[in-house]
Amino acid sequence: MSTTSLPAPDRSPRLREALLAAAFTADGLLDLLGAPAYAALARSETVPALRATRGDSPLDTLVRLFLLQRPVAYESARAALPLAECIEDGWVVQEGDEVRATVDVRPYGGPEGQDWFIVSDLGCAVGGASGIGSHEEGVVLGVGGASTTLAGITVRTPVASALDLGTGSGIQALHASQYATRVTATDLNPRALVFTRLTLALSGAAPADLREGSLFEPVDAETYDLIVSNPPFVISPGARLTYRDGGMGGDDLCRTLVQQSGDRLNDGGYAHFLANWQHVEGEEWQDRLRSWVPRGCDAWIVQREVQDITQYAELWLRDSGDHRTEPAQYAARYDAWLDEFEARKTKGVGFGWITLRKAESAVENPSVVIEEWPHPVEQPLGAAVVAHFARQDYLRTHDDAALLADRFTLAAEVMQEQVGLPGAEDPEHVVLRQNRGMRRATKVDAVGAGFAGVCDGSLPAGRILDAIAQLMNEDPVLLRDRTPQAIRLLVEEGFLEPAGQA
């Protein structure tokens, strides 16, 4: 797909002013459409939004033109836009007495209320690809669930340099422009670099250093404080679609990306990836992922979902619109997918997040946490990521004796639930539950519940256990021996915080 037909960003400020003046923003859309029609757009259903934009206000016109991709009357477009410039620069084209958009422009709310705009190929912002135009090899997608998830888990502390690898329409580069002095964005697809330039310009963000190429080739041996990537992670037979198929066998692209990132991170830097990985017969998936972690890095890997091979194939066949082709062609592509999995002894595919942190302490004693967590979480999680690695640093330097000598506080968002039969004297079990972040829950025994309940930072853990032993008529020495492991788990999962870090 050519880049010559795409708009030029030179006069984006004038277009941006017009979009803002018409309230063509995330909040403006919600006000105009209403919650049901707004939510329907995420499901690729446009009829409610079309019904809600039957008026002739500039906002109605812009929603139909750029978001719903319907032709609008020339005079309506002229009332909403600097139309002559938009036609000259290639944002829209005139066809008789109507105007239609050449690209998809979607309002996107930044984390601090910024009014941003994501520019992508037509048909690819509302509900993802869904087979609309995605049969084109070089198509560039707009905002989707994966891109917003990655933005949510990314650590957002000020850094000197950030790399968005596989930038697509520039969503991660746009986020990074808010806290990185220098942003580099790369993509194998030259169209993606043009769309990233458009997204940044139309959003009023600083330009990025844009480079074409695969994986880390465009940046050679340069290092960064932050690396983010929503790569083409789909495990597929072949490389038919640039936006999703990495062109390597199985999960090799994700593995290569993670393994090579260690040498490109500065000390203390973070790397965040979305990825798919194979569940292979005779192999623990955790061991597979553990082998991906580069030397000198701590890792936190969260598996959010697992699909069997038939579910997985059907998902991506629908995504590319293959379910709308001739039945024989669909069956052939489905069959090819299952052949690929059979050859690799793949029984399922996992999806999740991979976060690395470069640290000197990880060279000899890395912290690698791999877990399955399919439950709801509270985004953004960037602060929770920082806290996770801080807890790992603490636990790595504190043995059992040091734990018992330290003081702890119960995390502010933790609640206690008691579960048991009505009228029973004692609960069957006690659950500690987080209402923020990862929203974890864990069962604790009577000692654990009592310990957590009095942790306010005033007494060392050992003193608290001695008091609990006296109340429960237990041997304090035995209680001190068996409890540190439970304390360690409560600290690791964020239920307890060392008093000095609270």
Side-chain angles (χ1 to χ4, degrees):
M1 298 177 71
S2 171
T3 62
T4 57
S5 61
L6 295 177
D10 299 344
R11 285 183 283 194
S12 296
R14 284 261 293 156
L15 175 56
R16 174 176 171 80
E17 289 172 7
L19 299 180
L20 294 177
F24 187 61
T25 63
D27 289 341
L29 283 182
L30 184 58
D31 289 341
L32 174 68
L33 302 180
Y38 191 82
L41 287 177
R43 304 191 298 270
S44 300
E45 296 292 347
T46 58
V47 172
L50 286 167
R51 291 173 61 86
T53 55
R54 288 180 289 195
D56 198 33
S57 72
L59 182 54
D60 290 314
T61 298
L62 294 174
V63 172
R64 294 176 74 89
L65 177 66
F66 283 122
L67 193 58
L68 303 179
Q69 286 122 48
R70 296 298 197 275
V72 300
Y74 179 90
E75 291 302 324
S76 296
R78 190 170 66 170
L81 295 167
L83 189 55
E85 288 182 10
C86 288
I87 293 174
E88 181 181 346
D89 293 343
W91 291 94
V92 299
V93 294
Q94 182 180 357
E95 296 177 341
D97 59 356
E98 290 186 326
V99 171
R100 66 172 177 83
T102 61
V103 292
D104 200 318
V105 178
R106 178 172 183 173
Y108 180 67
E112 296 179 0
Q114 302 97 325
D115 289 317
W116 289 341
F117 301 95
I118 309 301
V119 188
S120 63
D121 270 311
L122 289 172
C124 296
V126 177
S130 299
I132 306 174
S134 60
H135 59 281
E136 298 283 0
E137 181 182 348
V139 73
V140 177
L141 302 189
V143 182
S147 53
T148 54
T149 293
L150 179 59
I153 66 173
T154 299
V155 172
R156 298 174 183 169
T157 54
V159 294
S161 58
L163 170 64
D164 177 12
L165 193 152
T167 185
S169 54
I171 299 161
Q172 309 309 322
L174 180 57
H175 278 278
S177 70
Q178 304 303 295
Y179 47 81
T181 304
R182 175 173 60 89
V183 178
T184 302
T186 71
D187 205 289
L188 181 64
N189 182 1
R191 284 176 61 81
L193 299 179
V194 177
F195 276 115
T196 294
R197 184 178 290 112
L198 294 171
T199 290
L200 293 172
L202 195 58
S203 298
D209 177 7
L210 305 178
R211 306 185 193 182
E212 181 181 343
S214 177
L215 297 178
F216 288 103
E217 290 174 3
V219 300
D220 195 22
E222 295 177 31
T223 58
Y224 298 87
D225 301 311
L226 175 70
I227 298 173
V228 292
S229 183
N230 178 17
F233 53 67
V234 177
I235 300 171
S236 60
R240 201 161 53 95
L241 300 172
T242 303
Y243 75 88
R244 72 169 199 194
D245 303 325
M248 297 185 184
D251 52 17
D252 284 353
L253 182 135
C254 292
R255 175 185 56 79
T256 301
L257 181 58
V258 173
Q259 288 179 336
Q260 292 183 356
S261 63
D263 292 335
R264 272 77 176 190
L265 272 179
N266 294 326
D267 190 50
Y270 289 90
H272 302 276
F273 310 98
L274 299 186
N276 275 179
W277 44 80
Q278 298 171 127
H279 284 227
V280 178
E281 293 179 14
E283 176 187 62
E284 295 294 330
W285 66 270
Q286 295 93 335
D287 293 338
R288 184 179 194 85
L289 290 172
R290 191 171 286 108
S291 72
W292 292 10
V293 179
R295 178 174 168 80
C297 289
D298 295 320
W300 184 19
I301 301 174
V302 181
Q303 179 168 273
R304 296 287 288 159
E305 183 182 4
V306 182
Q307 290 185 319
D308 67 47
I309 57 175
T310 58
Q311 290 175 311
Y312 189 80
E314 291 162 13
L315 168 68
W316 293 108
L317 286 167
R318 286 194 302 272
D319 173 84
S320 59
D322 287 312
H323 62 305
R324 300 172 183 166
T325 62
E326 292 295 323
Q329 184 179 355
Y330 174 80
R333 285 183 171 161
Y334 198 153
D335 206 36
W337 225 302
L338 297 185
D339 284 343
E340 171 81 5
F341 287 135
E342 184 177 338
R344 296 181 177 277
K345 297 183 178 179
T346 302
K347 59 183 180 179
V349 178
F351 167 80
W353 320 323
I354 298 176
T355 296
L356 305 177
R357 185 192 60 165
K358 189 75 169 285
E360 279 189 27
S361 56
V363 174
E364 299 299 332
N365 186 23
S367 164
V368 179
V369 176
I370 303 174
E371 60 177 317
E372 187 164 15
W373 190 254
H375 311 293
V377 299
E378 183 191 49
Q379 289 275 35
L381 279 169
V385 171
V386 173
H388 167 87
F389 286 103
R391 294 193 297 268
Q392 297 304 312
D393 288 341
Y394 173 85
L395 292 171
R396 189 159 37 194
T397 57
H398 286 69
D399 59 15
D400 288 354
L403 281 181
L404 294 177
D406 212 345
R407 294 170 166 80
F408 299 92
T409 60
L410 188 66
E413 73 278 5
V414 174
M415 303 294 290
Q416 177 177 301
E417 300 175 358
Q418 297 188 109
V419 181
L421 295 174
E425 184 175 345
D426 296 311
E428 293 180 13
H429 59 264
V430 175
V431 174
L432 299 181
R433 188 178 301 278
Q434 300 169 353
N435 291 318
R436 305 292 300 274
M438 292 294 286
R439 292 179 171 169
R440 299 185 188 278
T442 187
K443 288 183 182 180
V444 291
D445 60 13
V447 172
F451 180 85
V454 297
C455 278
D456 59 5
S458 61
L459 292 174
R463 290 270 303 278
I464 294 174
L465 290 179
D466 290 344
I468 291 175
Q470 185 174 4
L471 287 172
M472 301 181 67
N473 294 317
E474 291 206 29
D475 186 329
V477 175
L478 293 178
L479 195 60
R480 279 175 172 256
D481 284 343
R482 77 168 193 258
T483 306
Q485 186 57 39
I487 297 174
R488 191 172 294 275
L489 180 62
L490 291 174
V491 172
E492 180 176 342
E493 294 190 341
F495 291 95
L496 293 178
E497 298 173 347
Q501 297 182 10

